[in-house]
Amino acid sequence: MSNAKVSPPLRNEVEPCCPPLAERPLTAEEAERTAKMFKALGDPVRLRLFSAVASHEGGEACVCDISDVGVSQPTVSHHLKKLKEAGLLSSERRGTWVYYRVEPAVLAAMGQLLTRAAAV
Amino acid sequence: MSNAKVSPPLRNEVEPCCPPLAERPLTAEEAERTAKMFKALGDPVRLRLFSAVASHEGGEACVCDISDVGVSQPTVSHHLKKLKEAGLLSSERRGTWVYYRVEPAVLAAMGQLLTRAAAV
DNA sequence: CTCCTGTTTCGACGTTCATCGATCTCTCGC
DNA sequence: GCGAGAGATCGATGAACGTCGAAACAGGAG
């Protein structure tokens, strides 16, 4: 791929992402958008990686600290990228190491999406 | 796994599903179990079907009422089966029609799983 | 019993995905 | 500059998944 220079609006403004599941039937695009986040957490390895980052102090962790999930290093990097694309994690390079941290706003949105569905 | 009778130090006995994501790093089997539920909601069609059931009055709906999601009817049935296997829906036959309803307890557990992760 | 309607199951097909080894980029220390 | 370590990217491969049409199954109506 030769789009190394491309830098589109990749920022996921996820606050208005999705209405509660029990409010009304989701439209096709709402479902498309929301399903991406659930799908990101729908893999055991990704879920472990995410949990490892979320449970680390400060809500952030170096890749080297969480790479012990039973898969190869490229696979870990691949899954972290997926989580980042889903808007659940953000990454920052500090010297030699890369740190990932959770996005609490997105998590809260997903949580309310479910709890409000249960409340009704 | 053959955990016919588990009685470990598991204080959250709400569901057989999962500890909060930010409590500690999930183990392999915890992640395996939890990921199944997220994966069930990780498909746009399934999410629309689930939302359609959840937003219907009484939290239950006939298949014929929610089959308008843009895919063939066998596909709808397939996805409803997946949601049922994930423990998110339950089905009941009443005469000619089959009604699906949401499982509020599982939803609440998933919600807390996320909101507590965000709270920390 | 026979037809009709609603729902599930069965194969099959094409796509997506998780995973790996090899390679590349970036940063630091010498 | 050069080598070493940490992560990311690339290309390939096998498994899992979503989708469909056809057929089977289950009840109600005539």
Side-chain angles (χ1 to χ4, degrees):
Chain A
M1 292 192 291
S2 59
N3 49 359
K5 205 61 180 174
V6 73
S7 52
L10 205 60
R11 307 299 181 79
N12 286 7
E13 57 280 356
V14 240
E15 309 92 347
C17 73
C18 31
L21 259 50
E23 196 85 2
R24 18 190 90 268
L26 260 55
T27 67
E29 28 182 312
E30 283 172 345
E32 203 88 31
R33 214 178 321 154
T34 309
K36 277 180 185 165
M37 299 191 292
F38 282 112
K39 183 184 285 185
L41 293 179
D43 180 85
V45 175
R46 277 199 292 270
L47 205 51
R48 288 186 73 186
L49 287 172
F50 183 84
S51 175
V53 173
S55 63
H56 221 260
E57 43 180 321
E60 75 172 17
C62 169
V63 178
C64 55
D65 287 331
I66 60 177
S67 299
D68 192 16
V69 288
V71 294
S72 68
Q73 188 271 326
T75 303
V76 170
S77 185
H78 167 71
H79 283 308
L80 287 173
K81 184 181 180 183
K82 281 289 187 67
L83 286 168
K84 199 165 99 176
E85 288 174 353
L88 295 168
L89 293 181
S90 61
S91 66
E92 177 194 357
R93 170 157 228 142
R94 278 206 285 274
T96 307
W97 297 279
V98 176
Y99 290 81
Y100 280 81
R101 67 165 44 208
V102 300
E103 290 291 338
V106 183
L107 267 194
M110 288 182 69
Q112 289 183 5
L113 203 126
L114 293 170
T115 50
R116 290 191 184 174
V120 176
Chain B
M1 292 187 296
S2 59
N3 45 0
K5 171 80 180 210
V6 275
S7 51
L10 206 64
R11 49 265 190 195
N12 278 10
E13 221 72 34
V14 187
E15 296 297 323
C17 74
C18 34
L21 259 50
E23 196 86 0
R24 10 191 97 265
L26 260 56
T27 67
E29 27 182 313
E30 283 172 346
E32 202 87 33
R33 215 178 319 153
T34 310
K36 276 180 184 165
M37 298 191 294
F38 282 112
K39 183 184 284 185
L41 293 178
D43 180 85
V45 175
R46 276 199 293 269
L47 205 50
R48 289 186 73 186
L49 287 172
F50 183 83
S51 176
V53 173
S55 62
H56 221 258
E57 45 179 318
E60 74 172 20
C62 169
V63 178
C64 55
D65 287 330
I66 59 178
S67 301
D68 193 15
V69 287
V71 294
S72 68
Q73 199 276 328
T75 303
V76 170
S77 185
H78 167 72
H79 284 308
L80 288 173
K81 185 181 180 182
K82 281 288 188 67
L83 287 168
K84 199 166 101 177
E85 287 174 353
L88 295 168
L89 293 180
S90 61
S91 66
E92 177 194 359
R93 171 156 229 141
R94 277 207 286 276
T96 306
W97 298 278
V98 176
Y99 290 82
Y100 281 81
R101 66 165 44 209
V102 300
E103 290 292 336
V106 182
L107 266 194
M110 288 182 70
Q112 288 184 5
L113 201 124
L114 293 170
T115 49
R116 289 191 184 175
V120 175

